[in-house]
Amino acid sequence: MQPGSDRRTWRRYIALGDSFTEGLSDPDPGRPDGYRGWADRLAGHLAAAAPSGEVEYANLAVRGRLLPQVLAEQVPVALAARPDLVSLVAGGNDLLRPGADPDQLAADLEAAVVSFRGAGADVLLGTGVDPRQTPIIRRTRGRVAVFNAHLWSIAARQGAVVLDQWGAAWIQDDRLWDAGDRIHLTAEGHRRTALAAAAALGVPVAGADTDWRAPLAPAPALPTREVVAQELAWVRGFVLPWIGRRLRGRSTGDGRAAKRPTPQRVAASAPTSTG
């Protein structure tokens, strides 16, 4: 466990952020058109570790949200709910935009961390993934790296915990990412991320298949023609629509509300693997 709180169990966990924490590309079998995601899965691990066998959990994350929106819309709601653990993972949408200032983003984020720590809550932050393997998005690598460096410094100053995605070798496997957009994890990716978050917090997880760092079995090499076809499909299906929304000032999260806006009880469940 990283430096920070000496707690190992929590009673009320609130997740804040954007599509990553909302859980996109990890379909929820219990909710049509809904998503599960690493934060929902982490809540299950927290419940399993709690003496009561349950934890209260809210997820305020909404896809497409920029960091200033997360701070203005979600932080006050979370503070009012008096959590003892929050995850605050945001800024990725901002860093995709040319001209983003990672220094200012980090300063704004730290102010929120200070508020939560002052209210007695533990805070879990998350670095961005190294985008070196993704065409076009790799152009953001410098900004992401600067922002990540700030996150580690914020954690050291404020006693927060960091989910290190930049240094996670396993996360670079293309099969753990949605083939359609390449910026959202699959169900298996979210499952592993929840395990990594639990480990960062010092929460033990029982059961088989809990080593999130284990690489997937080697994949056969694809023919060049198929690789080119996938690249073109990605540009047509994700990049061009994303640019179009930016030009129109639109977001995939417009009109959407948080999927779990108030803390609700989550009971420990039997360990599961993918899905």
Side-chain angles (χ1 to χ4, degrees):
M1 180 179 176
Q2 299 167 23
S5 170
D6 57 2
R7 281 187 284 206
R8 296 295 185 275
T9 62
W10 292 265
R11 62 174 183 82
R12 182 173 293 166
Y13 164 44
I14 299 183
L16 297 81
D18 50 33
S19 58
F20 172 62
T21 299
E22 185 183 346
L24 262 63
S25 297
D26 181 10
D28 185 342
R31 295 187 304 126
D33 301 321
Y35 295 95
R36 191 177 181 188
W38 72 271
D40 288 24
R41 294 169 181 268
L42 175 60
H45 297 323
L46 295 174
S52 64
E54 63 181 27
V55 66
E56 293 182 352
Y57 166 57
N59 189 318
L60 308 180
V62 177
R63 68 193 71 175
R65 290 297 190 262
L66 300 172
L67 180 60
Q69 294 173 307
V70 171
L71 300 181
E73 299 168 5
Q74 299 176 24
V75 169
V77 176
L79 284 168
R82 302 178 65 183
D84 52 9
L85 174 65
V86 299
S87 58
L88 177 52
V89 185
N93 290 322
D94 307 75
L95 294 168
L96 285 172
R97 300 182 176 214
D101 183 352
D103 301 319
Q104 186 60 55
L105 290 171
D108 295 341
L109 182 72
E110 183 165 15
V113 174
V114 169
S115 296
F116 283 121
R117 295 296 286 148
D122 292 321
V123 178
L124 174 66
L125 303 173
T127 70
V129 175
D130 186 346
R132 66 181 184 274
Q133 295 186 173
T134 307
I136 301 177
I137 297 178
R138 70 165 62 103
R139 295 174 180 269
T140 69
R141 194 180 190 218
R143 295 196 294 272
V144 175
V146 170
F147 185 66
N148 287 350
H150 279 301
L151 291 183
W152 286 106
S153 296
I154 291 170
R157 286 192 294 267
Q158 307 304 336
V161 175
V162 179
L163 168 62
D164 181 16
Q165 299 186 101
W166 180 274
W170 61 267
I171 212 169
Q172 293 294 333
D173 193 310
D174 292 344
R175 292 169 292 175
L176 295 174
W177 295 90
D178 185 320
D181 62 33
R182 302 183 184 178
I183 61 171
H184 294 115
L185 292 167
T186 61
E188 174 64 6
H190 279 283
R191 186 188 73 84
R192 289 173 177 242
T193 299
L195 290 169
L201 290 166
V203 176
V205 179
D209 200 18
T210 57
D211 185 1
W212 73 94
R213 295 159 295 195
L216 299 177
L222 296 176
T224 301
R225 181 173 57 184
E226 187 171 343
V227 172
V228 171
Q230 289 180 356
E231 296 300 313
L232 291 175
W234 176 63
V235 171
R236 289 194 300 265
F238 172 74
V239 177
L240 294 180
W242 184 86
I243 293 173
R245 288 194 299 273
R246 297 289 78 74
L247 293 175
R248 298 191 303 273
R250 302 294 301 275
S251 166
T252 55
D254 289 346
R256 289 187 175 273
K259 67 177 184 180
R260 197 180 181 102
T262 58
Q264 301 171 22
R265 292 181 179 178
V266 172
S269 57
T272 58
S273 57
T274 304

